[in-house]
Structure formats: structure tokens, C-alpha cells
Amino acid sequence: MEFQQQEITLQVAQTARDFARQHIKPYVMQWDETQEFPLQVFKEMGKLGLMGVLVPEEYGGSGLGYLEYVAVIEEVSKVCGSVGLSLAAHNSLCTGHILQFANEEQKKKYLPSLASCEWLGAWGLTEPNTGSDAGNMRTTAVRDGDFWVLNGTKNWITHGISGDVAVVIARTGEPRTSGNSTAFIVDRGTPGFSGGKKENKLGMRASETAEMIFDHCRIHDSQRMGEVGDGFKQALKVLDGGRISIAALSVGIARGAYEASLQYSKERYQFDQPISHFQGISFKLADMITEIEAAELLTLQAADLKNKKLPVTKEAAMAKYYASEVAVRVSTDAVQIFGGYGYTKDFPVEKFYRDSKLCTIGEGTSEIQKTVIARQILK
Ligand SMILES: Cc1cc2nc3c(=O)[nH]c(=O)nc-3n(C[C@H](O)[C@H](O)[C@H](O)COP(=O)(O)OP(=O)(O)OC[C@H]3O[C@@H](n4cnc5c(N)ncnc54)[C@H](O)[C@@H]3O)c2cc1C
């Protein structure tokens, strides 16, 4: 693995950093308080190529690799986890699924508009009764000649209401059998497809999370991705890439919390000295940066394997598991370093603290990551 970042990665990171400082930072708390999903910001990021980072140039994307993708997610998440989460869901879940499993005609139809963010993407696997046990889904797609009829509800879907294009995994076979689900692309506006309840969340409040409802939603077979029965298998591959982005989101949140704490610890005086002079504080900072750099290395390792198209299931799960737990630990310590001020909305660390918790849950909980890692090392 190459540890030295290439010029292109540094340039892309700088672009994302500048954009986040100028167009996201000033509004972070306003969007958080009101739970406003700032769609316009994603349209602007589309113009910079940040909504189609991994999409080849021939389909209108930036044609970059996972190292650049990780850098973009990290830079944005240092400023706002919500925007980082939505960026990740659009790039690696919806767009990523189409990029990996759509046929040529589907790629030409969807990728350019997703890469420019003319269309915002959503990806629906989870349901009210099946989260970790996603293979046991209840949403069905029943064949009717050249069409499929979808019925059921997906929940916790990032952009469940605002998404223009949704990739949906639905059951096409008997429950609890292998190869019983299939992936479809559903356009917003298709009769029988609607957004449902928007969640009122602890953190990530500017990232829209909502239900997607299918009520006798009829779609043509040309909207099916890959073979009938391959849906869950495809989803697991998509999640390998997605988990790298959640690891990057976690590292970004942790870095944001750490950098704020480092600065504050030098400026805040107690007992006539900066609090950074107390070993109780400086050791916290030492633990924070050590864990962040370890999490970043695991993330870069997974990104490097993904770029080389090598098996990455274990490494992506390790990066996601470790980095997300680090984000929670670091942002918890950050609130502690800020003391009472850390408990208020006048300083950024309470938001990092709230946002970080999603990272140990979304795209597979920490317990599920450990299951994935254990399965890989014991096979
Ligand atoms: C903000 C947000 C955005 C999301 N975005 C999307 C999206 O865009 N698309 C999408 O499809 N989903 C999305 N999700 C759903 C997310 O992936 C699920 O919430 C997650 O997979 C966990 O599922 P669950 O919530 O049903 O928890 P459950 O599966 O019910 O888990 C509850 C608890 O039981 C534990 N548990 C379950 N099974 C096991 C086991 N076998 N061994 C040990 N412990 C176990 C879990 O680790 C957890 O602690 C999102 C969720 C959130 C909160």
C-alpha cells in the first residue's frame, strides 16, 4: 500500500475542504436545528464532480478512485456529518449499485444525471422488521408479463422522499431461501411509489431519512438490475464499498472533534494554565489522534484493495467497525474536554457527539461488522 497521497488526491481533498468551509460550515447548526435537507448544496457539489466521484468520465463522472472518494467524504464530514452521510449514500449506495450491476443501457440512462446530481439517489434495503436480517425482507416484486409489481415499505432510507432515483431490493422468491431477491431501479413519479414518514433523529439531522412506500408499483422488466435472484448478493458487494465510505465519514467526524478539542485545550485556562497542560487532558488528546490515525490507515487499506479490485469484505468491515467506534469515543472525549461549553450548541463538539453514533449503526451495526469479520477469518 502506498502511504504517500498522490497529487490528485490532495487536489480533490482541497476542493472538498474549500467547498465545505465556504458553503457548508456557516449553515451547519441552522440545518441541524431545523432538520433541513440542503438539496441545493448537493446540486453545487454535483457541479464540482463530488456527486459522481467514482463514476467513469465516459458516463459524466469524475473517474476517480476510492482514495479520492475517502478524502472527499472525510473533508466534508470534518465540517458536517449529515452532508457527509448523504454524499456517501448517493455516491456509493445508489450510484455505486448502478455502476457495478446495471447494464449498458441503464448506465447511460442514469449515471450522467446522478453524477451531476441533476438526480439525487436513494438505496432501499432496510425494512421496518428487517434491518440486520435484511435477507429476510418482506417487500415483494411479483412478475406480471414484462412488468413487476412492487409492494412493501422500506425504512430508514437516506433521501427516501427527495431521491429522484431509487435502487430497491425486493423479494422475488420464497422467504428464507437463498437467491430470493432482485434489485430494481425505480424513478420518482412512478405510480404507486411515494416517500413516507421522515424520521426525527438524534444526529445526522440534515441528512434526510425516510420511508419509501410501494403500493402496487408497476415497473418494466428493463428496470431490473442483473439476474433475478441476485439482489441480496449485489447488495452485499455494494455494502463493501459503502462501509469504506462510512469509515471515512467516521474518521472525518473524529478529526473534526479532535481538531476543535486541540485548539480549545490551548485556549481554555484553569488554575492559571491552559487545560492542555494537565496530563488528564493531554493524554486524552494523545489517545484521540492515535486512534484516528489507526482508523484512517484501516480505511485507506480497504480503499486501496477496492481500487485494485481485490477482496475487501473483511477489510471494509474492519475499517467501518473500528473507525465508527473511534468516532464515538473521540467525540465523547471532545465533549469532556470542552466541559460545560461542550454541552451547549455554541460549540461544535455536541453535534459531532450526536452525529457519530449513526456510524456504529448505519450500513450494518458494529455487532454485524464483527460477525462479518469473524466469518471471514474462520472460513
Ligand atoms: C440515519 C440512518 C440512515 C440509514 N440509511 C439507510 C439507507 O439509505 N438504506 C438502507 O437500506 N438502510 C439505511 N439505514 C438502515 C440501517 O442500515 C439499519 O438501521 C441497520 O442496518 C440496523 O438495522 P436495524 O435498525 O433494524 O437494527 P436491528 O437489526 O433491529 O438491530 C438491533 C440490535 O440488535 C443487534 N443485532 C441484530 N442482529 C444481530 C446478530 N445476528 N448478532 C448480534 N447482534 C445483532 C444489532 O447490532 C443492534 O444492536 C439507515 C439507518 C439510519 C439510522
Side-chain angles (χ1 to χ4, degrees):
M1 193 176 117
E2 177 63 69
F3 287 98
Q4 188 68 42
Q5 282 192 320
Q6 302 293 313
E7 186 56 31
I8 179 70
T9 315
L10 296 172
Q11 276 175 15
V12 172
Q14 187 66 49
T15 303
R17 193 178 309 137
D18 290 345
F19 183 86
R21 278 204 194 127
Q22 209 180 328
H23 300 282
I24 300 174
K25 198 171 182 185
Y27 312 103
V28 164
M29 286 317 290
Q30 176 195 323
W31 296 334
D32 182 74
E33 290 278 320
T34 59
Q35 295 207 79
E36 178 186 342
F37 173 61
L39 181 59
Q40 194 49 39
V41 164
F42 294 92
K43 302 275 181 200
E44 292 301 320
M45 284 194 284
K47 290 180 194 159
L48 291 176
L50 304 181
M51 297 298 273
V53 181
L54 301 165
V55 175
E57 284 170 323
E58 58 175 306
Y59 300 113
S62 299
L64 297 167
Y66 263 79
L67 294 173
E68 290 74 39
Y69 180 43
V70 158
V72 168
I73 301 285
E74 217 184 288
E75 288 299 337
V76 169
S77 308
K78 264 201 300 200
V79 173
C80 181
S82 294
V83 178
L85 175 63
S86 277
L87 196 57
H90 173 93
N91 272 284
S92 43
L93 296 183
C94 178
T95 309
H97 200 136
I98 293 173
L99 190 56
Q100 287 179 72
F101 296 106
N103 61 33
E104 196 49 36
E105 203 179 318
Q106 291 165 336
K107 284 184 185 175
K108 282 190 180 135
K109 179 174 171 189
Y110 287 102
L111 289 178
S113 298
L114 284 167
S116 67
C117 200
E118 182 191 344
W119 294 342
L120 183 71
W123 188 80
L125 176 67
T126 309
E127 299 183 1
N129 295 305
T130 56
S132 303
D133 188 15
N136 191 26
M137 68 191 72
R138 296 184 186 179
T139 296
T140 54
V142 176
R143 190 148 199 161
D144 179 16
D146 287 342
F147 290 82
W148 293 87
V149 181
L150 271 64
N151 276 296
T153 300
K154 297 285 176 184
N155 76 336
W156 304 113
I157 307 306
T158 304
H159 317 145
I161 295 169
S162 300
D164 301 289
V165 176
V167 169
V168 183
I169 326 297
R171 191 158 56 71
T172 46
E174 291 304 311
R176 292 281 180 208
T177 57
S178 73
N180 70 354
S181 64
T182 304
F184 300 93
I185 310 175
V186 187
D187 299 324
R188 175 75 51 208
T190 307
F193 172 36
S194 56
K197 179 188 167 221
K198 178 175 166 173
E199 303 297 340
N200 181 3
K201 305 194 298 294
L202 166 75
M204 301 293 193
R205 287 166 59 82
S207 176
E208 179 187 276
T209 313
E211 288 176 329
M212 291 196 308
I213 299 166
F214 301 91
D215 181 8
H216 296 92
C217 173
R218 202 173 159 80
I219 53 170
H220 194 263
D221 187 50
S222 58
Q223 298 298 99
R224 169 169 54 85
M225 256 192 295
E227 298 301 318
V228 173
D230 278 355
F232 193 59
K233 216 162 57 183
Q234 292 175 8
L236 292 182
K237 283 235 155 56
V238 170
L239 284 171
D240 280 348
R243 285 170 183 162
I244 299 173
S245 70
I246 302 299
L249 168 69
S250 308
V251 172
I253 289 174
R255 273 203 189 278
Y258 163 77
E259 284 171 11
S261 305
L262 185 66
Q263 189 184 337
Y264 185 80
S265 72
K266 295 181 201 162
E267 291 165 359
R268 174 70 175 170
Y269 274 65
Q270 291 293 284
F271 302 96
D272 301 322
Q273 53 189 310
I275 59 169
S276 59
H277 286 188
F278 304 125
Q279 198 180 64
I281 298 295
S282 64
F283 276 19
K284 265 193 184 44
L285 291 164
D287 282 340
M288 287 161 115
I289 191 61
T290 304
E291 292 202 330
I292 289 168
E293 295 202 0
E296 189 164 53
L297 285 173
L298 280 176
T299 308
L300 294 177
Q301 168 181 258
D304 187 50
L305 289 173
K306 188 83 178 135
N307 273 348
K308 292 174 178 155
K309 299 191 177 5
L310 291 169
V312 71
T313 301
K314 179 181 88 195
E315 289 75 8
M318 281 169 26
K320 197 272 186 189
Y321 164 49
Y322 186 72
S324 63
E325 296 288 341
V326 165
V328 171
R329 276 199 295 275
V330 165
S331 56
T332 305
D333 278 349
V335 173
Q336 194 66 20
I337 289 173
F338 272 74
Y341 295 99
Y343 205 64
T344 71
K345 290 181 186 288
D346 296 335
F347 292 87
V349 288
E350 66 82 33
K351 181 171 181 295
F352 287 124
Y353 176 71
R354 287 185 288 110
D355 288 348
S356 68
K357 195 58 200 149
L358 177 273
C359 301
T360 68
I361 296 171
E363 299 202 28
T365 62
S366 289
E367 291 77 10
I368 293 302
Q369 303 312 312
K370 284 194 263 192
T371 307
V372 171
I373 298 161
R375 203 176 288 143
Q376 292 291 317
I377 58 178
L378 293 169
K379 72 180 176 189

